[in-house]
Amino acid sequence: MTTIDNDSAGKTAMALLTLQGVDKIYRQGELEVRALQEIDLTVQEGEFAALVGPSGSGKTTLLNIIGGLDAPSHGSIQLNGTSITTLKEAELSDFRLFQLGFVFQAYNLVPVLSALENVELVMVLQGRDVRERRERAEHYLELVGLEKVMQRRPAALSGGQQQRVAVARALAAGPRLVLADEPTANLDSENATALLDIMHRLSHEEKTTFIFSTHDRRVMERAERIITLRDGKIVSDKHIGQESHEQMA
Amino acid sequence: MNRRHSHLPLGMLVMLSWRNIWRHRRRTLITLSSIAIGFALAVLMIGLNDGAHNSMIRNAIKLGEGHLTVQPRGYIEAPANHKYLTDGTTLQEKIGSLDVAGRIEPRISLQILASTASNSVGAGLEGLSPQGDQRADLLRPQLVDGTWIEPGDQRGILIGDGMAGKLKAKIGSKVVLMAGKQGGDSQAQLGRVRGIFDSRVDELDDYLILSDIQLARRFLEGEGADPALQPITRFALFLDDPDSLPEWKAELKAAVENDQVVVLDWREMMPQLVQFIMVDDAGNYIFLVLILIMVVFGILNTVLMSVLERTREFGLLRALGISRYHLLWLVFCESLLLSLLAVGIGWIVAGAVHLWFASHGIDMAALMGGSTEMMGTFMDPVIYTELSGERVFQLTLLIFAATLGSGIYPAIKASRVTPVEALRT
Ligand SMILES: Nc1ncnc2c1ncn2[C@@H]1O[C@H](COP(=O)(O)OP(=O)(O)O)[C@@H](O)[C@H]1O
Ligand SMILES: [Mg+2]
């Protein structure tokens, strides 16, 4: 397992996530799309990192590959000590269940379940007992400020509230890493920054690592690290406000 | 790696499936009611069919040789006047000692030629025992002319209106009854028409001649039988409880069967009728196939539509870590619940329809234009639907099998959803 890379010099913690030489090539008949090219990336425990870049630059593809939803064409991915490219389908599914949290752009929730039940669902699948999952679900819904609307179904929640339920669901399951693909894309800027503030706060309070993609400037400003993709390549990787971050870690 | 698996408790499975099937309330209600109505209709038609067949069988047994028949071995294969039971007295004692719950009727059946000055026709002469005869009970009310024969009437005969027409016979007409003997000779007796019946079953009206058993027995004497031993062609047994047939058959076989004597049940005595009903039952299968199609398409359509609409949701669930297998179960459970509801509602509607027609009946005579005769027997004019436990089981099982069948495809389809593709919309 690889540890530190040059960017995080001075830190001795083991990396939570390491990508080495990751390529993703989509074939559509004769046509080949190189969605990702030779991606090397290391993310430490507790980071709050943004993945930015224009549409089509490969953000979704990268997040899907890190999340074990899609397989790379080449390269290796180590996540929390597991080489996920070697896992079988069913193992990957269980890996996602216990180690990862997901927040998508929209339609994150099961429509027939209330906010509370949606948050509980992943914990049900994890096999946690009724009491524990109920307590945790309520706790995390309070943390995202939704204690008053827990019994509502998604259709009765605003877009911003739905995204917050998704964040609560991701965190309540106790993941090592939360992946959020454009979580604010469908929100107005006020709701977008509010969601990011919640994610940022919880990332610190829960010591949970976040990687989220965005192309919204105001959202990017909340990040402690900005990884920029262009045409499937990482063209820049900057740590911002490193001081405060290192104090936390 | 620490293999921790995804869990899906039954309660959650059922709760999710239940809520999912009510997502499109109207669609689900339409599916359920169409299955229920189709099912009720099928149960009605099948019940009617079974009712008609059972009525035919009951009447055939009454007009025929009973639930069980004791007769000479080889008679059914090739009936002949010289095949008879020589010692009726002893046999009757043996059968009587079994205390069968029902009636035992000694009978003589002969194939003869009936002639008048005008014409000659082949006929079946049936000697009625003074102990009583089911056929007499059935035909006595159908007498259209003359009187019934008195017990001990040595010459009196009863004929159907069909035969009366052919022979140009009236009440009081003389009819010569002639029968071939085993050696090639023939013998004859003189009969006199006392009454004419019209049973509405042509096979009987054209062919049957009834007489006192004494008159018929003279032909057996002509074949060399000893009248002191009460020779007869057969005993017909009518059971009070037709369901007890297998037990009585076994007992009777043990008591009387030997090289000369055989015990047969009505199915063996009337293979054509059994066959006819089997063929006619094909009508039932058409209804079964109809419900099957309704259930399969109802469920397939409803569940498949909802699966196709929820691709994104399945992708989401798979991304969150639900296993393929649990997703498959989830969708399958929706089909299962839908069919449980369909069967439940179906049986309530079908049960009500059945109960109504089981007590009120349907006037088949009116529907069939008066005559309900068929295969030498007839249906009661009013048919009441009949539904056996076996049918209920069969129909319920069929619907469940259909559900299982139609639930598999949507479930597999759902479980094949890949998160990446589903989420990229
Ligand atoms: N399933 C696919 N088949 C073919 N090309 C794809 C597929 N998915 C993504 N791509 C291509 O890969 C590139 C990166 O896409 P994506 O990761 O969605 O970018 P982003 O999320 O940054 O907008 C784009 O050129 C896109 O057209
Ligand atoms: Mg994208």
Side-chain angles (χ1 to χ4, degrees), chain B residues 365-403:
Chain B
L367 288 178
M368 294 173 68
S371 167
T372 58
E373 72 141 310
M374 222 182 289
M375 292 300 294
T377 172
F378 62 94
M379 260 184 240
D380 295 330
V382 176
I383 293 299
Y384 300 90
T385 56
E386 292 182 28
L387 197 60
S388 61
E390 205 180 323
R391 274 268 190 257
V392 172
F393 180 74
Q394 182 190 43
L395 289 169
T396 309
L397 199 73
L398 191 81
I399 294 211
F400 274 112
T403 315

Side-chain angles (χ1 to χ4, degrees), chain B residues 7 72 76 187 275 362-363 371 396 423:
Chain B
H7 296 248
I76 185 126
Q187 53 174 331
Q275 203 137 52
I362 287 180
D363 191 343
S371 167
T396 309
L423 292 166

Side-chain angles (χ1 to χ4, degrees), chain B residues 187-231:
Chain B
Q187 53 174 331
Q189 297 290 334
L190 187 69
R192 202 173 277 278
V193 178
R194 304 274 191 242
I196 296 171
F197 56 82
D198 176 11
S199 71
R200 295 200 177 76
V201 178
D202 290 343
E203 281 89 338
L204 301 180
D205 295 343
D206 292 351
Y207 185 72
L208 184 65
I209 300 179
L210 297 173
S211 76
D212 188 85
I213 200 160
Q214 296 300 333
L215 172 57
R217 187 165 280 149
R218 281 207 218 106
F219 286 95
L220 298 186
E221 286 166 36
E223 294 280 2
D226 177 358
L229 297 175
Q230 310 263 334

Side-chain angles (χ1 to χ4, degrees), chain A residues 26 64 69 89 91 93-94 96-98 102 104 106-108 111-112 117 121 124-125 127 153 169, chain B residues 3-7 9 12 15 19-20 23 312-313 316-322 324 420 423-424:
Chain A
Y26 288 112
N64 284 346
L69 297 173
E89 227 263 2
E91 292 169 330
S93 179
D94 288 339
R96 288 196 296 271
L97 178 61
F98 289 98
F102 288 92
F104 299 101
Y107 306 110
N108 265 294
V112 296
E117 288 164 338
L121 179 63
V124 170
L125 296 174
R153 293 212 183 165
R169 177 181 61 198
Chain B
R3 288 293 286 149
R4 289 186 293 172
H5 297 275
S6 100
H7 296 248
M12 189 70 183
M15 186 257 258
R19 289 190 190 173
N20 278 331
R23 260 162 108 151
R312 211 200 136 84
E313 192 178 316
L316 171 75
L317 287 170
R318 292 281 290 123
L320 295 180
I322 199 172
R324 229 164 235 256
V420 188
L423 292 166
R424 200 180 277 276

Side-chain angles (χ1 to χ4, degrees), chain B residues 71-347:
Chain B
Q71 67 179 20
R73 205 175 270 282
Y75 187 96
I76 185 126
E77 292 81 0
N81 295 347
H82 63 83
K83 294 176 181 171
Y84 55 87
L85 303 169
T86 49
D87 189 349
T89 316
T90 313
L91 265 176
Q92 175 131 28
E93 271 166 25
K94 276 194 198 164
I95 298 169
S97 71
L98 293 176
D99 275 329
V100 178
R103 283 168 65 164
I104 305 163
E105 298 179 0
R107 291 175 171 185
I108 295 175
S109 293
L110 300 162
Q111 294 155 301
I112 59 160
L113 190 73
S115 310
T116 56
S118 327
N119 211 348
S120 294
V121 293
L125 176 65
E126 295 287 334
L128 302 177
S129 153
Q131 295 169 33
D133 195 297
Q134 291 269 346
R135 296 171 297 188
D137 297 346
L138 269 167
L139 291 173
R140 198 187 292 258
Q142 322 270 23
L143 206 64
V144 290
D145 202 0
T147 56
W148 198 259
I149 39 175
E150 300 295 324
D153 183 342
Q154 300 287 320
R155 290 278 165 235
I157 59 170
L158 300 165
I159 59 176
D161 58 348
M163 181 173 290
K166 284 187 198 160
L167 293 177
K168 296 203 169 65
K170 296 191 292 283
I171 303 300
S173 296
K174 278 191 282 188
V175 180
V176 177
L177 311 173
M178 209 160 67
K181 284 210 290 192
Q182 196 175 9
D185 293 346
S186 61
Q187 53 174 331
Q189 297 290 334
L190 187 69
R192 202 173 277 278
V193 178
R194 304 274 191 242
I196 296 171
F197 56 82
D198 176 11
S199 71
R200 295 200 177 76
V201 178
D202 290 343
E203 281 89 338
L204 301 180
D205 295 343
D206 292 351
Y207 185 72
L208 184 65
I209 300 179
L210 297 173
S211 76
D212 188 85
I213 200 160
Q214 296 300 333
L215 172 57
R217 187 165 280 149
R218 281 207 218 106
F219 286 95
L220 298 186
E221 286 166 36
E223 294 280 2
D226 177 358
L229 297 175
Q230 310 263 334
I232 51 162
T233 307
R234 63 172 68 91
F235 289 102
L237 272 84
F238 295 87
L239 301 173
D240 294 340
D241 172 17
D243 291 337
S244 66
L245 187 142
E247 293 94 74
W248 286 120
K249 186 179 179 184
E251 281 206 42
L252 209 56
K253 267 179 176 290
V256 303
E257 233 176 37
N258 59 32
D259 315 351
Q260 274 101 48
V261 182
V262 70
V263 176
L264 300 171
D265 62 32
W266 65 267
R267 286 168 205 278
E268 293 163 317
M269 289 294 286
M270 299 183 282
Q272 319 90 306
L273 180 66
V274 172
Q275 203 137 52
F276 167 80
I277 284 171
M278 259 172 59
V279 171
D280 205 44
D281 261 340
N284 277 348
Y285 297 122
I286 291 171
F287 286 108
L288 291 183
V289 168
L290 260 162
I291 344 175
L292 215 82
I293 291 172
M294 288 191 75
V295 172
V296 169
F297 282 89
I299 289 182
L300 197 65
N301 177 55
T302 308
V303 177
L304 197 58
M305 243 208 270
S306 95
V307 163
L308 295 176
E309 288 164 356
R310 287 186 288 159
T311 306
R312 211 200 136 84
E313 192 178 316
F314 295 141
L316 171 75
L317 287 170
R318 292 281 290 123
L320 295 180
I322 199 172
S323 70
R324 229 164 235 256
Y325 171 79
H326 283 146
L327 194 54
L328 189 134
W329 264 112
L330 187 65
V331 174
F332 191 69
C333 191
E334 289 172 24
S335 303
L336 213 66
L337 281 180
L338 213 51
S339 96
L340 256 172
L341 281 175
V343 174
I345 297 170
W347 270 123

Side-chain angles (χ1 to χ4, degrees), chain A residues 59-61 105 181-182 213:
Chain A
K59 303 182 296 292
T60 298
T61 305
Q105 185 175 322
D181 191 7
E182 311 222 22
S213 69

Side-chain angles (χ1 to χ4, degrees), chain A residues 9-28:
Chain A
K11 283 207 269 179
T12 49
M14 279 209 306
L16 176 69
L17 171 70
T18 309
L19 278 76
Q20 283 180 317
V22 168
D23 278 350
K24 179 68 183 180
I25 300 163
Y26 288 112
R27 283 200 180 78
Q28 287 180 318

